[in-house]
Amino acid sequence: VQLQASGGGLVQTGGSLRLSCAASGSTFSIEAIAWYRQAPGKQRELVAAISSGTRTKYADSVSGRFTISRDNAQNTVYLQMDSLKPEDTAVYYCNQGDWFGYSYVEGIYWGQGIQVTVSS
């Protein structure tokens, strides 16, 4: 399984970015995918996750601003990030895992980290 993340960059406060995570080598349509982030000096945190269907889960800090979606025909999961804040600055990673009930369980497959920087 390979996960290729893209779409990071530098944006001003209030701006938007869209991250993409393209998967290969797996049965993508039945896999749950999540985005994590890690800021300097902080632990990695779950940002958003999507089940193989339509269930989604968001961190409280991004709820209402970020939207996770998937296009199974393109084997890609997207993270639309709007109203970005300086505290969203981090390295973002996509992960292929599992969905149990209302919870996302981290898997062993990771995309490469991509930098998102929000300037004030």
Side-chain angles (χ1 to χ4, degrees):
V1 176
Q2 290 187 327
L3 301 176
Q4 181 69 39
S6 61
L10 173 64
V11 66
Q12 291 186 331
T13 296
S16 298
L17 284 173
R18 189 176 78 159
L19 306 183
S20 299
C21 178
S24 61
S26 73
T27 50
F28 178 81
S29 64
I30 64 171
E31 305 292 349
I33 303 288
W35 286 96
Y36 287 77
R37 68 185 180 188
Q38 187 165 22
K42 294 187 177 181
Q43 289 188 334
R44 186 173 61 206
E45 64 172 343
L46 177 67
V47 176
I50 187 166
S51 71
S52 60
T54 58
R55 288 187 171 185
T56 58
K57 181 182 179 71
Y58 296 94
D60 289 344
S61 59
V62 307
S63 182
R65 299 188 298 120
F66 290 12
T67 303
I68 191 169
S69 62
R70 65 190 301 153
D71 182 343
N72 288 338
Q74 299 294 324
N75 280 9
T76 301
V77 167
Y78 302 99
L79 183 68
Q80 178 67 41
M81 305 186 295
D82 299 318
S83 302
L84 282 161
K85 304 175 180 180
E87 50 264 44
D88 295 317
T89 295
V91 177
Y92 285 70
Y93 302 86
C94 57
N95 174 262
Q96 179 176 298
D98 295 290
W99 194 279
F100 292 104
Y102 295 98
S103 298
Y104 177 82
V105 179
E106 180 182 302
I108 63 172
Y109 299 109
W110 293 90
Q112 85 284 12
I114 51 174
Q115 180 69 46
V116 171
T117 302
V118 184
S119 63
S120 58

